Amino acid sequence: MNAARWGAAAVLAAAIMLAGVAPRAALSRTVAFRTDDGVTVAATFYEATRRPAPAVILLHMLTRSRDDWQLFASRLADAGIHALAIDFRGHGASSAAVPGPDGQPDLSRLVLDVQAARAFLVSRADLVRVSDIGVAGASIGANAAILEAADDPAIKSLALLSPGLNYRSLRTDAAMRQYGARPALLVAGTNDPYALRSVKALGVLGGGLRETKTLDNAGHGTTMLKGDLDLGRALVDWFERTLL
């Protein structure tokens, strides 16, 4: 770019800043799909501008919703990666969970929600590069991510915020071994001792690329995105490296 064009571009950028014009927000739309056991899962699909593009499924913590991922999902889309943030069954706008024999929700069935999300992405090959799908999960969402990815070779990369070796009966050690050589990023806060121990144990299982991050007093699960402002950038970088 010559000096005149560079100067014109700088003037235009300054005018936009002075006018208070915000950068374009990622396009998003509400979608829904059915699981194999008949639950309707509500989700938000954040669209990257490229077609087709890799995609990441986003899984929230227990008692929370897909809204916890909103800012990060937009950052992923801005980086050229679609994001699909779902409400687990019995959460947000999704239909009620199927009770287990004791009348309580059977949390092992959360994996079916992740499977349905992956099937939705695969059905949109016009938008999604179906060979490049990742999952990011927080707390029980991290455990559900590991359990789904272990049996699903379509999942290429994981980012796990505060995973547990055995959280609410969702054990992850055998699943991480089965996940094998595919890459996984594991993150925990220093004030979350169980997640720290779990990250240390899971980070040596399965071989392949394993990266761990320990964040000072950052909290648990998606709360770490607020407790450490660099975490969102690190997660985007992770999926850029392992999916693009």
Side-chain angles (χ1 to χ4, degrees):
M1 180 181 290
N2 62 33
R5 289 182 179 177
W6 180 268
V11 170
L12 177 60
I16 290 173
M17 292 178 65
L18 288 172
V21 177
R24 183 192 65 81
L27 294 176
S28 65
R29 54 192 169 92
T30 300
V31 298
F33 36 85
R34 300 271 285 182
T35 66
D36 285 346
D37 62 343
V39 171
T40 299
V41 174
T44 304
F45 184 60
Y46 298 80
E47 295 189 37
T49 54
R50 71 176 72 198
R51 303 284 191 278
V56 175
I57 301 166
L58 303 175
L59 308 176
H60 61 78
M61 300 189 287
L62 206 59
T63 77
R64 302 294 299 177
S65 77
R66 68 188 191 266
D67 292 343
D68 287 348
W69 290 106
Q70 184 175 7
L71 180 58
F72 174 66
S74 294
R75 292 180 70 170
L76 270 179
D78 289 342
I81 301 172
H82 300 308
L84 180 66
I86 75 169
D87 282 337
F88 277 130
R89 58 185 62 207
H91 294 73
S94 293
S95 60
V98 177
D102 59 356
Q104 298 299 312
D106 182 357
L107 296 178
S108 68
R109 289 179 176 264
L110 297 181
V111 175
L112 298 178
D113 303 349
V114 193
Q115 291 173 358
R118 194 271 295 165
F120 170 81
L121 292 174
V122 170
S123 74
R124 297 305 312 269
D126 57 322
L127 294 177
V128 178
R129 209 162 72 200
V130 298
S131 60
D132 295 310
I133 295 175
V135 185
S139 191
I140 201 167
N143 283 37
I146 298 169
L147 292 168
E148 154 60 7
D151 290 320
D152 189 349
I155 303 303
K156 187 175 179 181
S157 177
L158 292 176
L160 308 168
L161 308 185
S162 309
L165 279 168
N166 184 6
Y167 183 60
R168 300 291 290 268
S169 299
L170 300 187
R171 291 194 61 92
T172 54
D173 47 354
M176 184 59 87
R177 290 189 186 94
Q178 188 174 341
Y179 179 68
R182 288 169 285 170
L185 171 67
L186 303 97
V187 186
T190 56
N191 54 342
D192 191 352
Y194 180 63
L196 272 176
R197 293 195 301 272
S198 297
V199 161
K200 190 172 295 186
L202 292 169
V204 298
L205 300 179
L209 176 63
R210 298 289 184 269
E211 292 187 11
T212 61
K213 290 182 69 68
T214 301
L215 307 178
D216 288 337
N217 298 313
H220 183 78
T222 43
T223 61
M224 293 193 292
L225 290 167
K226 296 180 180 178
D228 188 296
L229 299 180
D230 290 330
L231 177 57
R233 187 181 303 110
L235 292 175
V236 170
D237 174 72
W238 170 257
F239 285 118
E240 286 179 327
R241 287 188 285 127
T242 57
L243 293 180
L244 287 178

